[in-house]
Amino acid sequence: MKKTILTIAMILGSLATGWCDSQPNIIPAPQKMQMGEGTFVVKKGLTIVSKDVKDFSANYLQDKLDDVFDFPIAVSAQAKAQGCITFATDKSLPQEGYRLDVTDAGITIVSADEAGKYYGVQTLLQLFPAEVYSGEHLRLKEYAIGALSVEDAPRFGYRGFMLDVSRTFFELEYLRNYIDWMSNHKLNRLHLHLTDDNGWRIEIKKYPELTGKGAWRGKNEVIPPTYLSGSERYGGYYTQKEMKELIAYAQKRNVMIIPEFDLPGHALSSTAVLKDVTCGTKTEKASACGEFDNVWCVGKESNYRIIDDIIKELADLFPSPYINIGGDEVVFDYWAQCPECQALMKKEGYEKAEELHGYFVKRMESIIAKHGKVMMGWDDIQDNGGLRPTSTVVAWRSQAKGLESIKHGQPTVMQTGDYLYLDMQYSSVERGHNWASIIPLDRMYSYEPYQDMQLTPEEEKLVIGVQAGLWTELMQFPPRFAEYQVYPRLCALAEIGWSAKEHKNYADFYSRMVNKHYDRLYAMGIAFRVEPPKVVYQDAQLKVTLPYPSAVVRYTMDGTEPTVTSPVVSGNIVTDAPQKFRFSTFFGRGLHSVAVGAENVELHRYLTPEVSVTSDIELQKNNKLETITTYNFSKMIRSKTKVKAGQTLTYTFKEPVACTTIHVPTGYATLPFYGVSDGYVEYSYDGVNFIKGEDFHHYHAYIRNLEAPVKAVRIVITDANDGWSCCFQNLKIE
Ligand code: ACM
Ligand code: ZN
C-alpha cells in the first residue's frame, strides 16, 4: 500500500488552509505520524489479539471499545489474518515507545514494554469518537479509521503532576480519576504532597496520632482551621491499605506515585502533633504561608529516629525509587536560638543557622539511602551544601534554580512556578494566585525545559523531566475547581513532556484541542476550564471574538451571569449601556466559562465617598487603615494575627451616602483567602445607632434595602478567622 508521508510539519501546513477533517488530533503530538491510504473498518467480529488474554492493556481497550460498539469484542490469543487489533513485542523499541499501524487489514500495536503498549492503546483511543472515554453506549455498528502509522516515544522519562492533598483532601476515587486522566495524556509521575502545615494525609502505623490528630483541622483540633475550612472539622487521610490499592491502580496505568513528606518546615501537621520535635523557641517571623512553630529541630538526635521510622514506612509502602522530603521555605530563626541547634552548629563549625539546613538535608539523604531510596526535594535542598549525585532536585523558584542544580550535576525536574504552577490564575478575571505569574494556556504551552540554559548534551540528560503542580489552598470551594485549574493546562504539560521540541506549535496544539480534545476531556467527565470570549466596545457596539470558531457564547443584558437559556451571540450588539452586558462560553451540558464584560468598559460604577476607618484590630506594620480609604480596589490591609471575637472595624463617611447596596468584601481581592470567617456587618444612618446586617458568608457580607443615606458601616468579629491574618478592603457601594 502506498503511503503519503505526513509529518507534523505538514499537518501544520495543512492548517493554514483550514481545519483538516482527517487530522487525528493526537495529544500529546506523536514523534512521527504517516497518514496512509484506505481505512480499517471496525465492525462485528473485531478481535483483540494478545498472547496473554489477561493482559491489562488488551482488556482495558476491550472495555473502552465495548462502550461505543453495538457488538461484543473478544480478547483472544489466536491470531487472525483480518479484522484484529494485534499486540506484539519488539524489544528494540525505546522505553515507553510504541508503533501503531492502521491498515485495511487491521491494527497493530508493537512495543518493548507494558508502558509502550498502554500508550499505543491511548493513541488508538484518540482515533475513535470522544465517547470512547465516557462509557456512553453509542451502539455504533461500524467505524472507519483512516490508515496511518505512528512511531512514538517520549521526549522525557519523567512527566509529572504534583498534587497537594494536604491543604485540600482528595478522596481516593478522585485520585483514581486523576490517574486515569494523567495516563490518557501519557503522564507518568504523580507526586503527592502528603504532608504540610494544614493536614497529614498518610497513615503511619508507628505514629497513629499523625493521622489521628494531624489529618484534621478545626476550632477544637490540634491543627487550627485554615483555607476556608472555617468552623467545620475538615480533613481525611489514606490508610496504607488504601494507598497500596491506589499504587497498584496507578502502576497498571504506568503512573508512579512519589510521596512527599515535607521537612523540616511546612510541617505543622507533625510538629503540632508529635511531642517535642520543635526547638521550642519563638520568632516574630511567620513562614511563607503564615504559620508558626512548624519547623522541626535539627539539633535533637531523637528527631532523626522519628523521621527514620516514618521514612521506613513510606519506603516500604511506595515502590517509587524516590522519597521527596520537601525542604522548602524553612524559617531558620527557631534554630538560631535553640540550645540543641546551637550545640550542633558549634560541633559542626557552622556560622549561620542556615548551614544546619544543609546538615539536615544530608541526614535525610543517608536515612533515605538506608531504606534503598533516592532523595528528592524542592530546589531549596541545594542552598546549603553539596548533595549526593543521585539526589534529585525539583526546580520551582526559577529556571535559574534548575540551571544551578544541573551545574551541580543533580538530576533535575523542572516545575517552575511562573510557567507550571496550576494554582495561578488563567487570566486577571479568574480566581487563583498570581504571585508567580498569570498563566494562560499558551503561556504554559510555551514552557521549554532547557530555556535559557545553554547545556551540553551531557547536562541536558540531567533534566529528567517536567511537571506541573497544583497547590490547593483555594481548591475546597467551589466544588471541582481543582479540575478547572488543571485542565486544559495539563494537556499542554503533556505535550511539553512527551513531544519533540521541533513539533511544538501552539496554533497546531490549540487546533487539536478545539477539533477534538475538548470533546475528549468532556467525555472523560473533567470539569475543565472553558475559555471566555473577548469582548470590546467600539463604535457603540459590543464586538465579541469567539475563543474558537464553533464556540457557543451566550449573554445577558442585566449584569447577571449568562445561563444555558440566555441568548446566543450572533454578530455585534448595538447598545449605549455596555456595562450591563455579560458573556460566557458554554460547552456541552453544564460547563461554561467565567462571565466577562467588555474589556474596555468599567463594569461596576461604585461610589467612592470620603471615609475614615477605625479599628481595635492590630495591623501589620506596613498596612495602614488610611489605605483602605483610597478606593483602590486592589489594595487591602492585613491584621497582624488572627482577629478575635468582639473586635470591630468601622468605616465612617464624612457625609451620609445615598445608596442601595453596600458589599463588604474581606480577604484577598481575587481569592477566598484571609477573610472574616465568623462575623456580621452593621450599618448606621446617624453614626450612633447601628442596625445588624448580614452575616459573613465565604468572607463577604452585604447590606441591602437601605432606606436613607448611610453614615457608617461596621464589621463585627464573632470568632477567630481561619487564616493567620485577616484582610480588609474598600467597601463596594452602589
Ligand atoms: C513551594 O512552592 N514551596 C515548593
Ligand atoms: Zn533546635
Side-chain angles (χ1 to χ4, degrees):
M1 189 178 64
K2 188 169 134 279
K3 279 187 179 164
T4 32
I5 306 260
L6 185 67
T7 63
I8 296 286
M10 291 175 76
I11 294 176
L12 294 181
S14 76
L15 277 178
T17 56
W19 307 131
C20 172
D21 277 340
S22 60
Q23 185 186 342
N25 300 303
I26 309 285
I27 287 183
Q31 304 292 348
K32 260 196 210 161
M33 186 162 62
Q34 304 179 336
M35 309 296 284
E37 278 177 10
T39 52
F40 175 67
V41 180
V42 173
K43 56 178 192 282
K44 199 168 171 185
L46 176 78
T47 308
I48 296 170
V49 178
S50 168
K51 273 204 185 108
D52 172 10
V53 292
K54 295 227 153 49
D55 175 70
F56 177 76
S57 292
N59 286 276
Y60 171 96
L61 177 63
Q62 178 197 35
D63 187 48
K64 289 275 184 272
L65 296 184
D66 260 350
D67 285 334
V68 291
F69 288 103
D70 197 26
F71 45 83
I73 295 161
V75 178
S76 159
Q78 206 66 45
K80 282 199 303 182
Q82 295 269 330
C84 297
I85 300 174
T86 305
F87 288 99
T89 305
D90 177 350
K91 289 288 177 193
S92 72
L93 291 181
Q95 268 184 16
E96 301 186 285
Y98 65 91
R99 220 169 48 227
L100 167 68
D101 284 288
V102 179
T103 69
D104 301 0
I107 296 175
T108 54
I109 293 173
V110 187
S111 63
D113 54 20
E114 290 300 316
K117 191 187 294 177
Y118 185 73
Y119 290 150
V121 168
Q122 291 306 329
T123 299
L124 177 59
L125 289 178
Q126 295 198 356
L127 304 178
F128 284 95
E131 288 81 0
V132 78
Y133 296 101
S134 65
E136 220 167 273
H137 291 264
L138 280 188
R139 310 192 76 83
L140 294 178
K141 297 220 181 309
E142 47 182 59
Y143 189 75
I145 300 178
L148 97 171
S149 159
V150 177
E151 254 179 75
D152 204 7
R155 180 179 178 200
F156 293 104
Y158 186 117
R159 305 176 302 281
F161 170 56
M162 186 224 78
L163 183 63
D164 167 8
V165 294
S166 171
R167 275 59 170 268
T168 296
F169 175 66
F170 293 84
E171 301 290 344
L172 277 177
E173 187 58 36
Y174 203 68
L175 294 186
R176 277 195 286 273
N177 287 340
Y178 265 99
I179 290 164
D180 283 333
W181 301 334
M182 283 175 67
S183 74
N184 294 146
H185 290 86
K186 305 187 174 85
L187 294 169
N188 65 357
R189 301 284 182 266
L190 175 61
H191 164 179
L192 285 182
H193 184 73
L194 288 166
T195 75
D196 208 304
D197 298 316
N198 320 98
W200 182 282
R201 303 284 173 234
I202 183 73
E203 176 191 25
I204 299 296
K205 293 194 193 281
K206 187 149 185 187
Y207 302 99
E209 62 272 39
L210 283 171
T211 46
K213 292 179 183 155
W216 306 97
R217 59 188 191 245
K219 298 247 183 228
N220 301 311
E221 302 296 322
V222 176
I223 309 301
T226 34
Y227 306 133
L228 276 181
S229 64
S231 49
E232 179 194 358
R233 181 179 188 253
Y234 178 88
Y237 65 92
Y238 314 111
T239 63
Q240 292 197 3
K241 182 168 174 286
E242 286 169 333
M243 187 51 75
K244 269 197 188 120
E245 286 165 11
L246 190 75
I247 291 164
Y249 185 90
Q251 265 173 340
K252 290 202 174 96
R253 291 158 180 80
N254 195 40
V255 173
M256 175 199 294
I257 301 183
I258 299 171
E260 180 186 350
F261 167 19
D262 204 346
L263 281 166
H266 277 284
L268 189 69
S269 64
S270 51
T271 59
V273 168
L274 299 172
K275 258 197 154 52
D276 298 329
V277 297
T278 62
C279 297
T281 52
K282 294 286 164 202
T283 171
E284 288 266 291
K285 189 173 166 191
S287 72
C289 292
E291 304 291 347
F292 291 91
D293 304 323
N294 65 344
V295 179
W296 284 60
C297 175
V298 291
K300 289 177 179 163
E301 199 49 37
S302 53
N303 278 359
Y304 297 99
R305 289 194 286 275
I306 298 171
I307 292 170
D308 192 328
D309 291 338
I310 295 170
I311 286 180
K312 179 182 186 314
E313 290 197 31
L314 295 177
D316 288 347
L317 179 59
F318 290 90
S320 151
Y322 304 110
I323 302 277
N324 189 315
I325 54 99
D328 55 323
E329 300 182 306
V330 184
V331 174
F332 301 121
D333 301 27
Y334 301 102
W335 300 343
Q337 296 147 48
C338 163
E340 281 135 308
C341 288
Q342 289 302 302
L344 179 61
M345 276 181 70
K346 206 161 158 205
K347 179 166 158 245
E348 297 291 329
Y350 297 151
E351 284 171 3
K352 291 191 291 226
E354 42 270 50
E355 290 173 87
L356 290 171
H357 187 250
Y359 173 90
F360 179 81
V361 167
K362 285 191 187 63
R363 292 290 300 262
M364 294 304 105
E365 281 181 321
S366 59
I367 290 173
I368 290 168
K370 190 176 93 185
H371 296 297
K373 304 282 181 177
V374 163
M375 187 184 78
M376 195 173 223
W378 299 110
D379 60 49
D380 317 49
I381 61 173
Q382 67 186 348
D383 287 353
N384 297 288
L387 299 172
R388 293 181 185 212
T390 51
S391 291
T392 302
V393 169
V394 185
W396 70 278
R397 286 179 290 186
S398 63
Q399 197 69 5
K401 289 287 169 194
L403 180 60
E404 194 179 317
S405 160
I406 292 155
K407 293 291 175 192
H408 289 150
Q410 311 304 140
T412 305
V413 175
M414 300 306 295
Q415 190 192 331
T416 52
D418 53 351
Y419 285 87
L420 302 176
Y421 268 21
L422 295 159
D423 51 328
M424 297 297 130
Q425 290 172 292
Y426 279 94
S427 74
S428 63
V429 298
E430 286 162 273
R431 266 184 68 187
H433 286 289
N434 57 23
W435 61 262
S437 179
I438 291 177
I439 308 182
L441 183 62
D442 57 352
R443 180 174 171 87
M444 188 162 289
Y445 189 85
S446 76
Y447 181 71
E448 163 50 38
Y450 299 141
Q451 193 164 290
D452 306 326
M453 286 206 186
Q454 277 130 23
L455 303 178
T456 64
E458 279 312 302
E459 287 172 334
E460 283 194 354
K461 286 191 200 130
L462 288 170
V463 180
I464 61 170
V466 62
Q467 71 180 13
L470 184 69
W471 300 103
T472 57
E473 299 96 317
L474 305 170
M475 301 299 146
Q476 286 125 62
F477 176 85
R480 305 188 67 186
F481 185 61
E483 288 162 64
Y484 184 101
Q485 292 298 82
V486 175
Y487 287 96
R489 288 188 290 201
L490 210 62
C491 310
L493 190 272
E495 194 142 314
I496 297 167
W498 182 280
S499 305
K501 189 178 167 187
E502 313 78 84
H503 292 165
K504 265 183 73 193
N505 176 303
Y506 184 70
D508 179 53
F509 168 76
Y510 194 63
S511 83
R512 283 177 275 130
M513 289 300 299
V514 168
N515 284 349
K516 185 85 181 268
H517 203 71
Y518 278 125
D519 292 333
R520 295 186 191 121
L521 299 183
Y522 184 75
M524 288 172 199
I526 303 176
F528 60 89
R529 184 247 190 189
V530 177
E531 191 170 333
K534 278 196 190 316
V535 185
V536 291
Y537 186 59
Q538 238 172 25
D539 308 328
Q541 294 177 52
L542 286 162
K543 298 183 176 171
V544 182
T545 308
L546 304 183
Y548 47 90
S550 61
V552 176
V553 173
R554 296 175 186 274
Y555 68 102
T556 60
M557 296 179 280
D558 59 2
T560 59
E561 295 205 352
T563 67
V564 282
T565 58
S566 305
V568 174
V569 171
S570 61
N572 295 345
I573 299 167
V574 178
T575 178
D576 57 6
Q579 75 280 3
K580 301 233 154 128
F581 283 72
R582 297 292 181 276
F583 301 82
S584 288
T585 310
F586 282 73
F587 196 102
R589 296 181 297 269
L591 295 185
H592 59 85
S593 73
V594 288
V596 296
E599 57 193 28
N600 57 343
V601 170
E602 195 189 343
L603 299 181
H604 289 279
R605 301 215 174 118
Y606 298 117
L607 303 175
T608 57
E610 201 172 317
V611 62
S612 60
V613 185
T614 50
S615 180
D616 56 356
I617 295 167
E618 199 184 353
L619 301 177
Q620 295 200 52
K621 271 196 215 87
N622 303 326
N623 286 249
K624 301 208 165 52
L625 285 174
E626 299 86 76
T627 57
I628 221 170
T629 66
T630 59
Y631 281 92
N632 173 345
F633 286 98
S634 67
K635 282 249 165 70
M636 60 192 176
I637 58 164
R638 284 191 189 210
S639 65
K640 205 163 171 185
T641 59
K642 282 177 185 293
V643 290
K644 297 184 201 71
Q647 288 184 317
T648 61
L649 186 131
T650 307
Y651 304 75
T652 306
F653 303 116
K654 189 161 181 216
E655 301 299 335
V657 182
C659 56
T660 54
T661 306
I662 301 178
H663 170 191
V664 185
T666 66
Y668 279 26
T670 58
L671 311 175
F673 224 37
Y674 302 147
V676 173
S677 313
D678 290 289
Y680 58 89
V681 285
E682 294 181 329
Y683 58 100
S684 171
Y685 295 124
D686 59 9
V688 181
N689 300 298
F690 280 80
I691 304 160
K692 188 173 176 295
E694 291 179 12
D695 289 337
F696 277 88
H697 183 65
H698 285 136
Y699 305 164
H700 295 257
Y702 291 82
I703 299 164
R704 303 179 216 256
N705 305 322
L706 289 159
E707 289 165 359
V710 175
K711 177 68 180 159
V713 169
R714 180 186 286 163
I715 293 173
V716 181
I717 307 291
T718 53
D719 206 342
N721 62 298
D722 60 12
W724 66 276
S725 166
C726 195
C727 300
F728 301 92
Q729 302 176 18
N730 292 131
L731 299 173
K732 294 187 169 170
I733 308 167
E734 288 181 277

